[in-house]
Amino acid sequence: MDDNRRNQITSLMLLMKDYNDRFMRNLLELQKLEEESTKLLLVLAEEDPIGIPFKREHPDGKFWERDVPQNSDDFFKDNFRMEREHFDEIVERFRSVGIKQESPNAIALEKRIAIALYALGSSKDYRKVGRLFGIPSSMVPKILTEFCRFICRVFSTEYLPPEFLTQEKLEECVSGFEELGFPQCFGVLDGTHIEVRPPISDAEDYYNIKGWYSTILIALVDHRGRFLYVNTGCQGRCSKSQIYEASTLKKMVNSSDILKANSKTIEEVDVPVLLVGDSAFRFSTAVMKAYPFENNGQENEIIFNDAHSKTKRLAENAFRQLKCRFSRIHRGLDNRNRKATGIIIACCILHNFLNCKNSDLMDNWKIDDSERAQPEESDSFTDFLAAPVTMRNAISYFINKQPDR
């Protein structure tokens, strides 16, 4: 080997040695930095033992047993849509009627209730809910359906009784609406569409004019925003007026003498206790509608429409609160239609229960109305009827004369 070739090999070996030395120095430096970083994290942990909240991207099924007990009351309310004491009351009420853990290996009653409430308050699919609580996803809809059936069985008598048209309730509601500015009103009649996933054979009937599948919830709402009566399950292509005309509520209103028995003379007109409804319902002595114009009518008509609109918003707010608290009602129910009806009614009962407990909504429960625009219904032009027109005129003059106007 000549000298030139030997010198080239020697130079290359020196370069490789220098490179290896630098590589080892850098590696040692990185190890040193990592050790110092670890020591710093340990010092910070000792100085501030408060854990930083984090989101578990991969639930390990210990949400109820570990995460819930370790977090705040607000965390509990946000996930289960009610305060701990109201949750505990539901547990005790269930136990009082013999609803309990069926076997030693069964899911505890408290956990079953928590799973159902979490499913109602969340828009997560059942697979994610099951993973969070460490149960098979197929069990989630079964637990939810069972819970809603028990809610209807245990709480309906007190919070959504079938016999609500009583003298005591009538006096309470009329007095409440009078304080809000509308006389002789028993409740507000309105409806809302709730998204469902119907079977293919019935899909056409549930397809509403806004282009999505829905069932309709018709309700009568009192002065505190509580549901007095609910009717749900009708297909989305139906109108609110059609449902009311065929409902037990209308039969009850027409057959009962209690509304007429509590009539009041207003501006020399005999006005029975009535319901307030929007323009989609038929105008009658039982259902009071607004004047068909707002800005070009007489002053008393404009003032009446303002009072009517304010009263009607009680039902709109009740529906909104229902959907804010129970996101599954807003986002859409994927249960079978028969079971979806029970879920909706149970949510209405829970709404009344929590309204009675003065349980407020949390700020982050807001919903986006643009996601599912409500179908608009055409006016029911029945304003030519003489008796309700006379009553409406009398009420409008009465409202116009009130001192706070």
Side-chain angles (χ1 to χ4, degrees):
M1 182 183 297
D2 58 14
D3 292 341
N4 187 37
R5 182 65 175 169
R6 187 180 293 109
N7 290 336
Q8 288 179 347
I9 293 173
T10 302
S11 298
L12 181 61
M13 292 178 66
L14 290 172
L15 285 172
M16 290 177 65
K17 182 179 182 301
D18 182 58
Y19 173 81
N20 286 334
D21 290 342
R22 283 189 285 113
F23 175 79
M24 291 302 298
R25 284 197 302 271
N26 290 336
L27 182 61
L28 291 171
E29 187 67 24
L30 286 172
Q31 289 175 343
K32 183 180 178 181
L33 287 173
E34 185 178 359
E35 290 175 359
E36 291 177 352
S37 176
T38 302
K39 291 178 181 178
L40 179 60
L41 287 174
L42 290 172
V43 170
L44 290 174
E46 290 175 359
E47 291 178 350
D48 185 8
I50 299 174
I52 300 174
F54 64 95
K55 180 180 179 181
R56 298 183 184 275
E57 296 297 338
H58 303 286
D60 57 6
K62 299 296 183 182
F63 176 72
W64 174 249
E65 291 82 1
R66 180 196 57 221
D67 297 349
V68 172
Q70 291 178 356
N71 279 279
S72 66
D73 289 340
D74 283 345
F75 178 88
F76 187 96
K77 181 175 179 178
D78 190 26
N79 282 281
F80 304 107
R81 279 358 198 203
M82 63 181 65
E83 292 78 1
R84 290 178 190 267
E85 58 264 33
H86 306 326
F87 177 92
D88 292 339
E89 182 174 344
I90 291 176
V91 174
E92 291 306 314
R93 291 283 293 273
F94 276 24
R95 283 192 176 130
S96 69
V97 296
I99 301 169
K100 56 186 178 180
Q101 187 172 334
E102 295 178 356
S103 68
N105 296 324
I107 301 172
L109 176 61
E110 292 90 339
K111 185 173 181 177
R112 298 209 309 270
I113 293 173
I115 292 168
L117 289 172
Y118 186 91
L120 288 175
S122 169
S123 57
K124 292 180 180 178
D125 60 50
Y126 294 146
R127 178 175 51 86
K128 292 181 180 178
V129 176
R131 254 201 333 258
L132 196 66
F133 285 89
I135 65 171
S137 60
S138 60
M139 292 189 66
V140 176
K142 294 179 181 178
I143 290 173
L144 176 59
T145 302
E146 176 193 53
F147 169 77
C148 291
R149 184 172 68 251
F150 288 145
I151 283 291
C152 293
R153 169 183 159 190
V154 178
F155 283 82
S156 61
T157 303
E158 183 176 354
Y159 294 103
L160 194 63
E163 300 298 329
F164 60 89
L165 190 52
T166 63
Q167 182 65 32
E168 181 182 2
K169 178 61 68 174
L170 183 142
E171 291 176 0
E172 175 191 328
C173 290
V174 169
S175 176
F177 279 110
E178 283 180 350
E179 291 182 8
L180 296 175
F182 205 99
Q184 289 296 87
C185 179
F186 179 60
V188 183
L189 180 64
D190 205 352
T192 188
H193 286 249
I194 296 172
E195 185 175 5
V196 293
R197 293 167 178 79
I200 296 176
S201 58
D202 299 331
E204 183 179 355
D205 291 337
Y206 289 87
Y207 198 69
N208 62 48
I209 59 175
K210 282 294 184 178
W212 47 284
Y213 300 100
S214 65
T215 186
I216 303 175
L217 169 63
I218 297 292
L220 184 67
V221 178
D222 71 9
H223 58 288
R224 296 165 301 189
R226 299 174 191 171
F227 298 112
L228 294 170
Y229 163 91
V230 296
N231 178 316
T232 187
C234 286
Q235 300 94 329
R237 72 173 186 175
C238 299
S239 70
K240 294 185 294 186
S241 181
Q242 287 175 330
I243 298 171
Y244 171 70
E245 292 299 320
S247 70
T248 57
L249 176 61
K250 182 178 180 181
K251 294 176 183 177
M252 189 182 301
V253 168
N254 288 347
S255 62
S256 175
D257 296 328
I258 193 170
L259 299 179
K260 294 180 180 178
N262 286 270
S263 295
K264 180 179 178 180
T265 301
I266 299 177
E267 298 294 318
E268 300 181 355
V269 175
D270 192 40
V271 179
V273 176
L274 42 77
L275 314 181
V276 164
D278 64 21
S279 59
F281 295 99
R282 293 183 182 178
F283 188 42
S284 68
T285 55
V287 180
M288 184 56 55
K289 294 169 50 173
Y291 287 97
F293 40 77
E294 294 181 0
N295 298 321
N296 58 346
Q298 299 178 19
E299 182 179 1
N300 66 291
E301 295 173 349
I302 296 173
I303 292 174
F304 174 89
N305 280 5
D306 287 341
H308 185 278
S309 178
K310 179 182 176 182
T311 305
K312 192 166 66 68
R313 277 198 294 273
L314 288 166
E316 296 169 359
N317 290 338
F319 290 139
R320 185 173 185 82
Q321 289 175 19
L322 182 74
K323 294 179 179 182
C324 283
R325 191 182 294 272
F326 304 112
S327 295
R328 197 161 296 274
I329 296 290
H330 174 60
R331 300 285 183 178
L333 293 169
D334 48 8
N335 299 75
R336 294 179 180 178
N337 286 352
R338 179 173 53 84
K339 295 180 179 179
T341 297
I343 292 173
I344 295 169
I345 294 174
C347 287
C348 292
I349 294 172
L350 287 170
H351 166 90
N352 285 357
F353 167 70
L354 294 168
N355 183 292
C356 290
K357 304 295 182 181
N358 296 316
S359 176
D360 297 326
L361 302 182
M362 297 185 77
D363 292 337
N364 62 312
W365 294 352
K366 294 178 181 178
I367 58 175
D368 185 2
D369 292 329
S370 63
E371 292 180 1
R372 277 287 179 260
Q374 286 287 309
E376 297 177 0
E377 298 187 15
S378 58
D379 293 355
S380 176
F381 294 107
T382 53
D383 286 26
F384 57 89
L385 299 174
V389 167
T390 302
M391 287 168 45
R392 182 169 60 189
N393 290 338
I395 295 172
S396 70
Y397 286 119
F398 173 82
I399 293 174
N400 191 48
K401 290 180 178 180
Q402 297 310 298
D404 56 341
R405 289 293 174 187

